[in-house]
Amino acid sequence: MPSVLDQIIDGVRDDLSTRQQDTPLEQLQRLAEAQPAARDGEGALRAPGLSVIAEVKRSSPSKGALADIPDPAELATRYAAGGASAVSVLTEARRFGGSLADLDAVRAAIDLPVLRKDFVVTPYQVWEARAHGADIILLIVAALDDVALRELMALTRQLGMTALVEVHDEVETTRAVDLGASVIGVNNRNLKTLDVDPETFSRLAPLVPETCVRVAESGIRDHEDAAMLARAGADAVLVGEALVTGGDPSAAVDAMRSAGVAR
């Protein structure tokens, strides 16, 4: 039986086929090249203290609907006011309720680096991210072989963007490091099963060189979790659900960011 990740990627490829018919690659490349230079996502995450990547997230495969977000730009502005280092925007539609329109709205509203969070499996999607103003792109090791991952990382660098290379086990971490990833996200959620193991980050972080940016992802509920991850070596946390359901996203971001000061 296909894993949850496989099922998501099948849907992503179907939707991608439609977009490619509507906007050929050559047109997309012209749009990308007309964009201002990408902001320095890696540099933003290397700032002192614990960086927070705050996410615009409507739903998830594991929890279903999370929050009604009528104005993603307003939410992103509140994240920025709380001290977020970057804002992540889910653009996958079927399982996460996201869209490129959300990315456009957030890009227009804030001056922070913006992460396009999706299931990127082709160069077209990297060009697409840049054309819509993204500065950071998520590359999931579990979804890519080494040839594809190397190609997508190289294109990301060529476009001046930052690749957040996501891993969830020892083999994937070794692959990411060996291929030269400089920003590595450790996902506590196994995308093949959707199970969350809160110990995943602390187990894998020692495999990531200190020269890399270490990002902890998934299962981060509050500032106490953020502080624990900072002590385990996290330079940044990526948080969605807790921020969109907590009622005061600015205060929540500020609390998580401040939690890393005492590590």
Side-chain angles (χ1 to χ4, degrees):
M1 177 181 294
S3 69
V4 175
L5 178 60
D6 291 334
Q7 294 172 43
I8 292 173
I9 290 175
D10 285 344
V12 165
R13 289 188 182 279
D14 286 344
D15 294 340
L16 177 60
S17 177
T18 300
R19 296 201 305 277
Q20 286 176 308
Q21 291 177 16
D22 293 340
T23 308
L25 178 60
E26 294 76 12
Q27 180 181 346
L28 198 65
Q29 290 171 329
R30 289 194 296 271
L31 293 170
E33 290 163 355
Q35 284 284 336
R39 292 158 181 81
D40 183 4
E42 181 173 340
L45 299 180
R46 287 189 181 277
L50 182 67
S51 298
V52 177
I53 307 171
E55 191 156 83
V56 177
K57 185 176 186 178
R58 289 191 168 88
S59 63
S60 75
S62 60
K63 297 288 184 68
L66 296 173
D68 180 28
I69 305 175
D71 189 349
E74 190 269 341
L75 177 59
T77 300
R78 295 177 72 183
Y79 286 157
S85 296
V87 172
S88 170
V89 183
L90 276 152
T91 59
E92 196 280 332
R94 299 189 184 202
R95 303 293 188 100
F96 293 89
S99 68
L100 287 164
D102 286 350
L103 180 60
D104 291 337
V106 169
R107 172 71 291 156
I110 61 171
D111 195 36
L112 298 175
V114 174
L115 162 66
R116 183 201 181 172
K117 194 174 181 194
D118 209 317
F119 296 79
V120 174
V121 290
T122 71
Y124 182 95
Q125 292 162 287
V126 180
W127 283 103
E128 189 175 52
R130 186 80 280 270
H132 286 268
D135 312 289
I136 311 170
I137 195 160
L138 181 72
L139 300 177
I140 301 172
V141 174
L144 301 162
D145 62 27
D146 283 356
V147 173
L149 182 56
R150 185 181 290 108
E151 177 187 19
L152 295 173
M153 288 173 60
L155 177 57
T156 301
R157 287 192 296 270
Q158 175 189 324
L159 296 181
M161 302 168 70
T162 296
L164 170 57
V165 181
E166 181 179 291
V167 303
H168 82 275
D169 64 22
E170 287 80 359
V171 172
E172 292 174 8
T173 304
T174 299
R175 289 175 58 200
V177 171
D178 288 350
L179 287 172
S182 57
V183 181
I184 296 180
V186 176
N187 197 341
N188 291 319
R189 186 183 304 281
N190 182 333
L191 291 179
K192 296 179 180 179
T193 64
L194 299 185
D195 295 334
V196 174
D197 178 359
E199 300 300 320
T200 301
F201 180 84
S202 59
R203 189 179 77 246
L204 299 184
L207 303 179
V208 179
E210 292 186 1
T211 53
C212 296
V213 177
R214 299 167 177 167
V215 182
E217 306 173 19
S218 295
I220 303 161
R221 299 162 297 182
D222 52 30
H223 67 282
E224 293 181 354
D225 286 347
M228 177 188 68
L229 289 162
R231 290 192 296 270
D235 300 297
V237 290
L238 193 160
V239 189
E241 180 181 341
L243 298 181
V244 300
T245 62
D248 190 340
S250 295
V253 168
D254 181 58
M256 290 184 183
R257 184 176 56 82
S258 300
V261 172
R263 63 175 171 173

